Amino acid sequence: MNPLELARARPGEAFTVTFDGRPVTALPGQTVAAALWAAGVTAWRSTRGAGRPRGVFCGIGVCFDCLVTVNGRANQRACLIPVHPGDVIRTQEGTGR
Amino acid sequence: MTERAHLAVVGAGPAGLAGALAAADRGVRVTLVDAAEQAGGQFYRQPARALGARRPEALHHQWRTWERLRDGVDRHIAAGRITHLTDHHVWCVERKPGRAEHGQDPIVAPESGSFTVHALRGSAQEEGVAVRADAVLLATGGYERVLPFPGWTLPGVVTAGGAQAMLKGGLVLPGRTVVVAGTGPLLLPVATGLAAAGARVAALVESADPRALLRRAPAFAAEPGKLAEGAWYAGKLLRHGVRTLSRHIVVEAHGTDRLEAVTIATVDRSGRIRPGSARRIPCDTLAVGHGMLPHTDLAETLGCTLSEADRTAVRVDDEQRTDVPEVWAAGETTGIGGAALARAEGHIAGRSIAARLCGTAPDPRSWAAAARARTRLRTFFTALEAAYAPPAGWVERLTDDTVVCRCEEVTAGAVRTAAGSLGACDLRTVKLLTRAGMGWCQGRMCAPAVAGLTGCPLTAGRRPFARPVPLGVLAGLPDD
């Protein structure tokens, strides 16, 4: 069993995005965070001070731990932003600027 | 003919939907403003439409209640009585001072459209939108409290509610082997949901003592539906083979770049770890939470007073009115109490609003059933909150090098120094001295921990904006 089977989902056609240059398959409707989780990726930011890896924490847009760079725009909350075909997702280093 | 009174409801969860429904049923024109793509809030969070879920109820509890709520609101939307603005992220609600505030006439009706609800439209949140309304219902919900422990910033450590939100909304799991830990009733649906969706839930680690629940048995017995719910989850956990450990805590999360294991242990009454009780559980995910906190940013900006008993919740009267004229609040924002309480409060608020906006005094007898449910559920949740208090000794167990403020990477040691030798005695001074609470989340995550470490009371944050706002949107606002 997986979540898609449990909810008997029939998602639209999968598409490809890139994460740090490597192709990742995503489903329409997913957020950037959901697509990365589905691909087994849990970290996509390194902190400004200690350079430690971070990913989703609160999952609902409150904590800002999941900030990521999408198509050159830094500081996007991965748990809120929908993923689109061809998105170029990059690990956000520090402040992302 | 004057246009019908107009209510803006902020938040499309159980409280906001019930409020919108009750008000629209009684002739009020409603605009429902919500950040999500679909109504439901966190409790009834729906899978994204494009995922084509044919059985979303598999991830939910009390689906029939949701369907009734949704269908009622949908009918009003179709009839044009409710406008639902999805993907609208409200950052501020502004109230134009009415004439009453200038001391000319204390009983004058509020000016039409005296509120402006400011939102950012779309996922990029760059375009400003303003909604004018005669009254506002704040149904902004809550978010999870997580108390820190060594290793809690590792990727793979997520909030229990966050894991559930990602599952319900994106149909994804955080990993394969999960430990669900912390305290509170939310851990039960999270553990069962993750297990049903295919995760191996290695353990449900609850710090509360079952005897604390038993001691409050009379309060719980008054709510048999809730007891049945608890039993239902217990049966589910059993069926999924989830090991449940009470009076246990997560001592530390291990890993270098991501979570690899957690150490759990039992603690005695004073919070000391019992010698020899520590053991390591390999896992790639820890879903952790210690109860919830209300979202009060919008209410505070409007000047609503917070409750004396719980300084993190909006104070309301029996009609769910705040102390700011024409501002109502319902659901978790007035104190954590779950979806059923949120619906009851929203229902009462909607009826009160409909009467007050028409210039009549509402008749509380017309919502007697909802009021009874509200009283019962508030009593129940007060008892529940006491039984699921944070585990004793959590502050002492925080090592000095544990990061407390996740955004600014401020350690427990730095906070202790601020409160100790530097003499800080409130959260604001600790923030100025250490930057704890000064980062992106504006202290939403670290405030409970900073309060615990310093002995300062936990108060709401007094943030001028409920979310980040582009300078261009601020610059584009009219001057009036």
Side-chain angles (χ1 to χ4, degrees), chain B residues 248-337:
Chain B
H248 277 69
I249 56 149
V250 169
V251 180
E252 186 174 356
H254 308 279
T256 44
D257 285 338
R258 66 151 303 148
L259 182 71
E260 288 159 15
V262 295
T263 294
I264 63 164
T266 54
V267 286
D268 64 19
R269 209 166 284 174
S270 62
R272 276 189 299 268
I273 293 168
R274 285 189 192 280
S277 71
R279 60 198 145 121
R280 202 176 161 108
I281 305 178
C283 57
D284 57 15
T285 305
L286 172 64
V288 61
H290 302 96
M292 298 206 11
L293 291 168
H295 270 299
T296 57
D297 296 342
L298 298 177
E300 284 184 87
T301 312
L302 277 163
C304 303
T305 304
L306 300 186
S307 99
E308 276 163 40
D310 176 359
R311 276 179 285 187
T312 61
V314 180
R315 188 175 77 189
V316 288
D317 66 7
D318 285 349
E319 289 179 34
Q320 299 296 135
R321 290 181 298 179
T322 71
D323 58 356
V324 174
E326 317 305 323
V327 178
W328 281 255
E332 308 287 44
T333 190
T334 70
I336 301 306

Side-chain angles (χ1 to χ4, degrees), chain B residues 100-411:
Chain B
E101 285 193 352
H102 298 298
Q104 292 162 356
D105 184 351
I107 53 164
V108 73
E111 290 171 0
S112 175
S114 54
F115 291 95
T116 309
V117 177
H118 295 281
L120 298 168
R121 177 158 52 191
S123 58
Q125 298 188 33
E126 287 188 326
E127 184 193 351
V129 177
V131 176
R132 299 293 295 265
D134 303 307
V136 176
L137 170 58
L138 301 171
T140 47
Y143 61 99
E144 213 164 3
R145 172 175 64 187
V146 185
L147 302 172
F149 50 87
W152 77 310
T153 55
L154 278 172
V157 180
V158 296
T159 70
Q164 188 185 43
M166 295 278 288
L167 172 59
K168 285 179 178 175
L171 303 181
V172 287
L173 290 172
R176 304 185 67 82
T177 306
V178 187
V179 170
V180 178
T183 189
L186 176 64
L187 302 185
L188 296 170
V190 170
T192 52
L194 293 172
R200 193 175 84 78
V201 179
L204 195 171
V205 180
E206 165 64 61
S207 64
D209 186 336
R211 285 172 298 191
L213 288 164
L214 279 177
R215 274 198 297 276
R216 292 168 182 85
F220 297 137
E223 205 56 46
K226 286 280 166 198
L227 287 182
E229 201 178 315
W232 186 83
Y233 281 122
K236 280 248 174 191
L237 290 171
L238 209 60
R239 206 164 335 132
H240 289 296
V242 175
R243 181 169 46 144
T244 304
L245 302 161
S246 56
R247 282 181 296 148
H248 277 69
I249 56 149
V250 169
V251 180
E252 186 174 356
H254 308 279
T256 44
D257 285 338
R258 66 151 303 148
L259 182 71
E260 288 159 15
V262 295
T263 294
I264 63 164
T266 54
V267 286
D268 64 19
R269 209 166 284 174
S270 62
R272 276 189 299 268
I273 293 168
R274 285 189 192 280
S277 71
R279 60 198 145 121
R280 202 176 161 108
I281 305 178
C283 57
D284 57 15
T285 305
L286 172 64
V288 61
H290 302 96
M292 298 206 11
L293 291 168
H295 270 299
T296 57
D297 296 342
L298 298 177
E300 284 184 87
T301 312
L302 277 163
C304 303
T305 304
L306 300 186
S307 99
E308 276 163 40
D310 176 359
R311 276 179 285 187
T312 61
V314 180
R315 188 175 77 189
V316 288
D317 66 7
D318 285 349
E319 289 179 34
Q320 299 296 135
R321 290 181 298 179
T322 71
D323 58 356
V324 174
E326 317 305 323
V327 178
W328 281 255
E332 308 287 44
T333 190
T334 70
I336 301 306
L341 177 57
R343 285 197 312 272
E345 292 189 356
H347 180 78
I348 293 167
R351 281 175 169 262
S352 165
I353 290 162
R356 297 276 174 195
L357 286 185
C358 296
T360 58
D363 178 6
R365 283 173 303 184
S366 70
W367 64 66
R372 277 196 303 275
R374 180 177 60 183
T375 305
R376 266 198 344 259
L377 287 162
R378 280 184 183 163
T379 307
F380 177 84
F381 274 92
T382 302
L384 208 62
E385 198 178 88
Y388 288 115
W394 69 268
V395 171
E396 291 73 33
R397 284 192 298 274
L398 269 176
T399 56
D400 273 344
D401 61 351
T402 303
V403 167
V404 168
C405 170
R406 301 173 67 95
C407 302
E408 295 291 324
E409 296 172 88
V410 181
T411 61

Side-chain angles (χ1 to χ4, degrees), chain A residues 34-53:
Chain A
L36 292 175
W37 267 17
V41 180
T42 50
W44 49 80
R45 178 167 82 86
S46 68
T47 61
R48 293 170 294 176
R52 300 296 299 146

